[in-house]
Amino acid sequence: MLDLYGVKVASRLLLGTARYPSPSVLAEAVKRSATEIVTVSLRREAAGGRSGGAFFEMIRQLGVRVLPNTAGCHGVSEAVLTAKMAREVFQTNWIKLEVIGNHDTLQPDVFALVEAARILTSEGFEVFPYTTDDLVVAERLMEAGCKVLMPWCAPIGTAAGPLNPSALRSIRAHFPEMPLIVDAGIGRPSHAATVMELGFDAVLLNTAVAGARDPGIMAEAFAGAIDAGRQAFNAGLLEPRDMAVPSTPVIGKAVFA
């Protein structure tokens, strides 16, 4: 079981709810993924006017836990205000904290991220910060009170997969007890399996599922890949070797004259 701020969940797949072609397609993807947590942007739902209430009611009926996010925020005060509004709307202390610093790469502004995280944790929020794979930033977020980290493996929506496996290995090794959820950049089920094989605890997806020809099937594929990667990590992966090693013993083999 995955423990996130004292909440235990069986599924290690978190699913975003944006960019689906219809609410029914989203609902199907959520069901087939077996996820227990979905992310919702307060800005998106507020912009939808009356449709926002209907959307949240649909999510509630799916029986999943909501992780509101501050998507689209570019500064500390904006992110903090959005988080406070989300807490009132969704009735949860959970918040996925995003503070974007670059318009092209959507890379987090890590300085503003740490400051916003410190403010929110002091006000009782349980923060899930969307961050880079930088170890120093991770340490600062922990010092700010974060008990979960969400490093990217590539920029949002690129579907590039893990661009820096060494950095991901390092952050996993430096924080062995911290729940680490890879957020952003996953494009294929094989990418998800790869990061889970590195020892990460979960994966957050959106575009790779919502943008698929059949989001329901893709959600199910990702769920299977994440489970496989986790099981492989727990079983102990065979490390690459420089030389060939025979799988059949050479001692005691038959000799023909």
Side-chain angles (χ1 to χ4, degrees), residues 9-117:
V9 294
S11 173
R12 294 176 181 271
L13 168 58
L14 288 71
L15 202 61
T17 57
R19 298 183 178 276
Y20 286 84
S22 71
S24 62
V25 172
L26 167 60
E28 178 70 10
V30 170
K31 290 176 182 177
R32 296 185 69 165
S33 72
T35 185
E36 297 171 57
I37 301 171
V38 299
T39 63
V40 176
S41 169
L42 176 67
R43 284 171 170 265
R44 172 173 170 270
E45 295 320 311
R50 295 181 179 179
S51 64
F55 176 87
F56 182 61
E57 178 61 22
M58 181 199 70
I59 295 296
R60 189 188 66 77
Q61 291 176 2
L62 291 172
V64 292
R65 189 179 183 96
V66 173
L67 173 59
N69 67 57
T70 62
C73 292
H74 289 78
V76 174
S77 59
E78 184 182 17
V80 169
L81 176 59
T82 302
K84 290 180 178 179
M85 293 170 61
R87 178 158 62 180
E88 291 201 15
V89 171
F90 298 109
Q91 296 295 298
T92 178
N93 287 324
W94 279 16
I95 191 72
K96 181 192 170 192
L97 181 61
E98 298 182 27
V99 186
I100 302 302
N102 184 278
H103 290 282
D104 294 327
T105 65
L106 300 180
Q107 181 169 331
D109 179 339
V110 294
F111 306 101
L113 180 69
V114 171
E115 184 179 348

